[in-house]
Amino acid sequence: MCGIVAYIGKKEAYPILIKGLQRLEYRGYDSAGVALLSNGELNLYKKQGKVANLVDFASDKNTTGQIGIAHTRWATHGEPNDKNAHPHSSSNGNLAIIHNGIIENYDVLKEELISRGYVFKSDTDTEVLVHLIDDIQKKEGVWFGEALRIALLSVTGAYAIVVISKDKPDTIVAARKSSPLVIGIGKENDFYLASDATPIVEYTDQVVYMNDEEIAVIDLKDGMKLWNIQDEEKTPYVQHLELQLEALEKGGYEHFMLKEIHEQPRSINDCFRGRLNATEGWVELGGIKDYEQQLINANRVVMVACGTSWHACLVGEYLFEDLARINVEVEYASEFRYRNPIINEGDIVIAVSQSGETADTMAALELAKSKGAIILGICNVVGSSISRITHAGSYTHAGPEIGVASTKAFTAQVTVLTLMALSIAHKKGTMNETKFRTMLAELELIPDKVKKVLENNAHIERIAAEYKDATNALYLGRGSSFPVALEGALKLKEISYIHAEGYPAAEMKHGPIALIDEAMPVFVVATKGTSYEKVVSNIQEVKARKGKIIAIVTEGDEQVKLMADHIIEIPDTDEHLVPLLATVPFQLLSYHMAVMRGCNVDQPRNLAKSVTVE
Ligand code: M6R
């Protein structure tokens, strides 16, 4: 949610900043802007819309300079237009600032600044920061880095900030609290700052992930120094970046989303690596080993997440309850944090998040931690905030997910939850050895079975063509295929803007059935298993009302074939593992329908990849 990038060194900053913004555009694309220091001048350009608009706008401007900051915005305060785009500058034009996050007490600060004569040019919360720094500089006679530190003492909210000033053209100052900020240490006494490591990876593999309430002062002469806002010096912890540049490119696919859907056989395999050995009959999640006994003894596990990750938790609930006999509650993080949730001794809270930065999920975790819970994380982004505040956790190892609609991250989350459930069930004795070994062998086959599902792409594309003009759609499933239905519906609405709802198949008759007519496509998971016959009855109910059935069935199914308008076959597998296969056709259907409708599948309107505001 908003992407920030900055550079200081001996190279020309502008091309580095623009490339960085393009990498971060998935975080927001309402507007983009850049500020460069060059020969005592501060040149600032910003434009509504995508980074490409900014590039056009700046094409005939002076974009020289070896120090610069840039921003791509997902609007919170103030509509997406030129004036609200970042960077924001001080009234005297000396300072420029970029910010990701929200200044919660901006209205109080703004009123005070206005009363002292400051004129605001935008409707953003961010602009108060730049005037506040300016004001403190004037009042206290301090340099802008110290003024920023003092300013932050009176700020409530979340921020990743970078500031430059004409007064100190060899220095860049950054600060972070609850919004991510990474500093790349270049090879030529240069530094790269960004919301995540994607703009940095091609220049260096040495990075420092800033901690909350830290301030970085980077100077061309003295290099980087870290302080906290209480003015105590901190030692930077330099880490090696594992990211590969190719992972950030489309690799011949038309969209990142399509590439990421096709990466799933690989990403699920990567998730198994070192954790699953069906031949030897073991499964082990090293990251949570220290808390394994607590998991085995847990009376209750609470899973908190948002969006697609919340759907993964719902699949996890079925797995934990059925296989490991642990009582699980799945909570929307945004709801959990504003209740007074009951956390008992021995409860474990697991947060699931692709980005590891989702503000609501972070806040829910912090609340649970403050109430004494053991908090575990399942994240995709290495070094992300959630992975750093949890007691322990497991990475999903899906690799960077750039498409705003989550695909491979979902199946990787479900894979980790499956491994966890199996490991606990085996150790707890709720699953016998034979069943355990059979499940491990089945699980190991999943990547190849996903490959087989992907081979149906052309067939799925033809089905998409028939329903691309639908205005509504229903998704149905039972058991652990109910969250698959929810996920299918979310995928469709977020990238194609078709209204879609997911329901447990049996719930249809309690209301949604009223919507069914010949124009309503109903996407159903009707694979072999406990509820198969029940789902078949639900399909008949839809057909009796002339609805169109698109059913995901187990290979070789004959019964549903006779009733459905279209079937999509998936390979047979253990019932518990069906979500890992049945999700994939829904991803492809949504993708093709959105492309046929001319939608921007990688950057759907109004959305951002990482939601760092509540
Ligand atoms: O990074 P997280 O997994 O915490 O993100 C949670 C949701 O914002 C995310 O899953 C969102 O719903 C996606 N757009 C779904 O495709």
Side-chain angles (χ1 to χ4, degrees), residues 212-473:
D212 272 355
E213 303 200 330
E214 272 182 357
I215 298 177
V217 177
I218 304 170
D219 187 298
L220 279 181
K221 210 158 52 0
D222 300 330
M224 174 178 61
K225 290 217 164 95
L226 277 186
W227 309 82
N228 63 15
I229 63 170
Q230 281 76 38
D231 211 13
E232 295 154 343
E233 191 162 358
K234 306 296 259 180
T235 311
Y237 172 47
V238 182
Q239 280 177 265
H240 182 258
L241 192 62
E242 297 292 345
L243 197 62
Q244 300 303 319
L245 197 52
E246 309 80 73
L248 305 175
E249 279 149 11
K250 286 190 195 144
Y253 287 92
E254 205 180 329
H255 298 99
F256 279 110
M257 181 179 177
L258 189 61
K259 177 190 173 218
E260 287 156 8
I261 291 172
H262 279 86
E263 276 176 345
Q264 289 175 110
R266 200 255 325 130
S267 54
I268 296 173
N269 243 326
D270 284 351
C271 198
F272 291 161
R273 218 176 289 276
R275 295 168 166 174
L276 167 70
N277 190 322
T279 321
E280 292 173 14
W282 57 260
V283 54
E284 202 69 77
L285 282 156
I288 53 163
K289 195 148 184 42
D290 291 349
Y291 292 90
E292 199 170 67
Q293 202 52 48
Q294 283 95 325
L295 272 165
I296 291 167
N297 297 337
N299 293 321
R300 189 173 75 131
V301 166
V302 181
M303 296 187 186
V304 291
C306 303
T308 287
S309 301
W310 185 77
H311 298 154
C313 292
L314 290 178
V315 178
E317 180 180 17
Y318 285 93
L319 295 166
F320 273 54
E321 293 198 348
D322 197 28
L323 304 178
R325 307 306 296 151
I326 297 177
N327 173 21
V328 174
E329 281 166 32
V330 177
E331 301 270 1
Y332 281 117
S334 54
E335 289 297 310
F336 179 83
R337 60 181 293 199
Y338 285 115
R339 284 212 312 271
N340 185 10
I342 299 167
I343 304 282
N344 299 313
E345 208 180 314
D347 283 353
I348 296 184
V349 176
I350 303 180
V352 178
S353 173
Q354 187 287 131
S355 61
E357 303 292 345
T358 301
D360 284 319
T361 311
M362 282 273 290
L365 269 187
E366 272 157 2
L367 176 69
K369 198 178 192 180
S370 72
K371 287 177 175 278
I374 293 168
I375 56 169
L376 305 179
I378 297 177
C379 297
N380 191 39
V381 177
V382 176
S384 54
S385 303
I386 290 177
S387 66
R388 287 188 295 149
I389 65 162
T390 41
H391 291 116
S394 287
Y395 283 118
T396 46
H397 297 307
E401 191 180 65
I402 312 286
V404 165
S406 192
T407 52
K408 63 174 180 173
F410 173 78
T411 45
Q413 290 165 343
V414 172
T415 304
V416 170
L417 288 164
T418 309
L419 293 170
M420 253 181 165
L422 284 170
S423 164
I424 304 164
H426 186 231
K427 289 174 181 128
K428 198 173 166 182
T430 51
M431 179 182 271
N432 67 38
E433 191 64 26
T434 317
K435 173 75 182 158
F436 178 65
R437 290 218 169 215
T438 313
M439 287 273 313
L440 295 194
E442 267 306 319
L443 188 55
E444 215 170 48
L445 294 175
I446 288 293
D448 282 339
K449 292 187 178 179
V450 172
K451 248 185 227 159
K452 277 198 89 180
V453 178
L454 292 167
E455 284 165 13
N456 282 330
N457 184 35
H459 169 59
I460 294 171
E461 190 173 358
R462 283 191 292 276
I463 299 175
E466 277 198 40
Y467 298 100
K468 70 174 192 335
D469 297 320
T471 46
N472 291 289

Side-chain angles (χ1 to χ4, degrees), residues 3-5 16 19-21 23-24 26-27 180-185 192-210 239-245 247-248 355 357 381-384 400 402:
I4 65 180
V5 56
I16 296 168
K19 205 171 194 188
L21 285 185
R23 291 256 162 83
L24 292 176
Y26 73 90
R27 299 178 68 89
L181 195 51
V182 191
I183 303 173
I185 305 170
Y192 305 79
L193 296 90
S195 298
D196 67 34
T198 58
I200 296 175
V201 60
E202 64 197 276
Y203 307 108
T204 177
D205 57 7
Q206 299 295 295
V207 292
V208 173
Y209 291 94
M210 285 183 71
Q239 280 177 265
H240 182 258
L241 192 62
E242 297 292 345
L243 197 62
Q244 300 303 319
L245 197 52
L248 305 175
S355 61
E357 303 292 345
V381 177
V382 176
S384 54
I402 312 286

